[in-house]
Amino acid sequence: MGGPEDRPGLHLPGRTVTETDIVNFAGLSGDYNEVHVNAAYAESTAFGERIAHGILGLSIASGLFTRTELVLRIQSNLVALLGLEWKFTGPVLIGDTIRLEAEITDCRPTKDGKRGIIEVTRRVVNQRGEVVQIGKTPLMLLRRTEG
């Protein structure tokens, strides 16, 4: 059986995380935690080097999601992102190329039947095949009308 890239409709965009990304995110967010911005300090940590902010990885994953085949299929009916359940399972290092895997894992109509809610499981995977972040996001969609 093939890997995730063999699943129909699953597009796996990728992006390399740079030092500039981390510096810019620190400035934007105000999060100057030493493990992100101080190379000498970061060498003494369990990671041995600077790592990207977890939320930076999530933000990049959000952008990558907009480039998936799934979003291209649903974007005209997309109403809202309803929430976020997210776990950071490994570090994202400077120079890592991360990609996003996304699949619909649940689908149900709303009470009024005019909209539906899909749950999308998203996995952020680095170039070594390690899942570094994983989460679920419920999305509200307009239901298609017959006719």
Side-chain angles (χ1 to χ4, degrees), residues 20-82:
T20 301
D21 293 327
I22 294 170
V23 170
N24 286 339
F25 191 81
L28 179 65
S29 67
D31 180 349
Y32 291 95
N33 186 298
E34 299 286 302
V35 76
H36 307 305
V37 299
N38 182 331
Y41 172 82
E43 285 179 7
S44 70
T45 69
F47 304 111
E49 61 186 294
R50 286 177 294 160
I51 61 171
H53 304 73
I55 300 297
L56 172 57
L58 171 58
S59 297
I60 292 171
S62 180
L64 291 174
F65 182 64
T66 67
R67 296 171 41 206
T68 63
E69 297 292 329
L70 172 59
V71 169
L72 294 176
R73 288 195 319 257
I74 67 170
Q75 67 186 355
S76 64
N77 289 358
L78 186 58
V79 175
L81 169 68
L82 298 178

Side-chain angles (χ1 to χ4, degrees), residues 13 22 40 47 96 99 116 124 136 139:
I22 294 170
F47 304 111
D96 275 356
R99 63 180 165 79
V124 179
K136 295 179 181 181
L139 302 172

Side-chain angles (χ1 to χ4, degrees), residues 8-21:
L10 184 63
H11 175 68
L12 303 172
R15 185 178 182 296
T16 300
V17 178
T18 68
E19 179 179 19
T20 301
D21 293 327

